Amino acid sequence: NGMYAIIRERDSKFYIESKGSCTHHFRLVITILNPKAKQYAELTVYYDRLRKIESFKANAYDAQGNLIKKLKQTEIVDQSSISGFSLYEDDRIKHADLSQNTYPYTVEFEYIVKMQYLYNIPGFYLFNDDEIATEKSSYSITYPRSLRPRYKLYKINEPKINTEPDQRESLTWTFENIKP
């Protein structure tokens, strides 16, 4: 088969605190089977004065699951997202690269981004590549009932709706064992 990576776990949690505050927790564990999937050993997170990265961790593991690389904060590249002169110089990125030369290996990325606005919730796509299998992927949005988000589904089932404490609800989509 032509498969070149397996998403072991992808978990995207979006917390709406108020109209002016939300937090995105993201975790991805993906096994890179061959050089065709090398791009998935890298991850870029954007930030600016309204989006703050509260934490960003990146680890790599060998085929036996042993930790072989743990990126230090100084090894996560921090740079302007626009090359050359720009009026928007506060648009920045943090970029982590866990590429290895021995296959297979597994990378794990985890970050938390805090936003001081609420006009757009990151979308969710189950497939961005048809040569990747997914073991488990989930996407959830937790919000005060008064700020229930509007959403549009495309070829996907309605979410599971949970009642949370403090007048909150959550929408959750979970996918398991998706073949390439």
Side-chain angles (χ1 to χ4, degrees):
N1 71 30
M3 184 170 72
Y4 45 71
I6 303 165
I7 294 171
R8 302 295 181 182
E9 189 181 342
R10 181 173 58 180
D11 190 21
S12 186
K13 291 185 171 117
F14 199 79
Y15 299 95
I16 297 171
E17 283 100 35
S18 68
K19 283 186 181 172
S21 176
C22 49
T23 307
H24 186 205
H25 291 231
F26 181 79
R27 181 167 183 265
L28 173 68
V29 181
I30 184 168
T31 299
I32 314 289
L33 300 174
N34 62 49
K36 286 183 181 168
K38 186 176 185 286
Q39 74 214 55
Y40 296 102
E42 299 183 39
L43 186 75
T44 300
V45 182
Y46 295 86
Y47 71 99
D48 56 32
R49 54 194 171 75
L50 296 177
R51 286 173 57 98
K52 182 172 164 260
I53 299 173
E54 296 202 328
S55 74
F56 189 2
K57 297 180 201 144
N59 299 316
Y61 303 87
D62 65 15
Q64 285 71 47
N66 302 310
L67 180 67
I68 49 175
K69 180 82 179 152
K70 179 177 187 166
L71 281 192
K72 299 181 190 77
Q73 289 306 305
T74 54
E75 295 173 293
I76 295 174
V77 177
D78 188 334
Q79 65 188 56
S80 171
S81 67
I82 300 145
S83 54
F85 175 75
S86 162
L87 297 173
Y88 305 103
E89 335 180 284
D90 60 347
D91 288 9
R92 298 191 62 80
I93 60 168
K94 284 196 181 209
H95 181 78
D97 185 349
L98 286 168
S99 303
Q100 305 294 314
N101 293 322
T102 306
Y103 298 89
Y105 62 93
T106 297
V107 295
E108 173 187 34
F109 296 107
E110 195 166 351
Y111 65 78
I112 298 172
V113 175
K114 183 108 175 145
M115 288 153 271
Q116 294 175 22
Y117 57 82
L118 179 64
Y119 51 77
N120 185 349
I121 295 171
F124 174 82
Y125 301 89
L126 186 57
F127 298 105
N128 56 352
D129 194 319
D130 58 7
E131 300 301 332
I132 293 182
T134 298
E135 286 184 355
K136 185 163 196 254
S137 184
S138 66
Y139 179 78
S140 70
I141 306 169
T142 303
Y143 50 89
R145 280 189 212 141
S146 60
L147 291 176
R148 184 171 198 185
R150 293 188 303 265
Y151 56 89
K152 184 170 183 168
L153 302 175
Y154 180 71
K155 292 186 178 179
I156 199 169
N157 292 332
E158 283 291 331
K160 184 173 179 230
I161 300 175
N162 287 323
T163 303
E164 306 281 335
D166 305 337
Q167 298 292 306
R168 296 170 72 77
E169 279 181 348
S170 66
L171 305 172
T172 303
W173 289 264
T174 304
F175 307 90
E176 292 184 338
N177 301 320
I178 310 289
K179 303 269 182 278

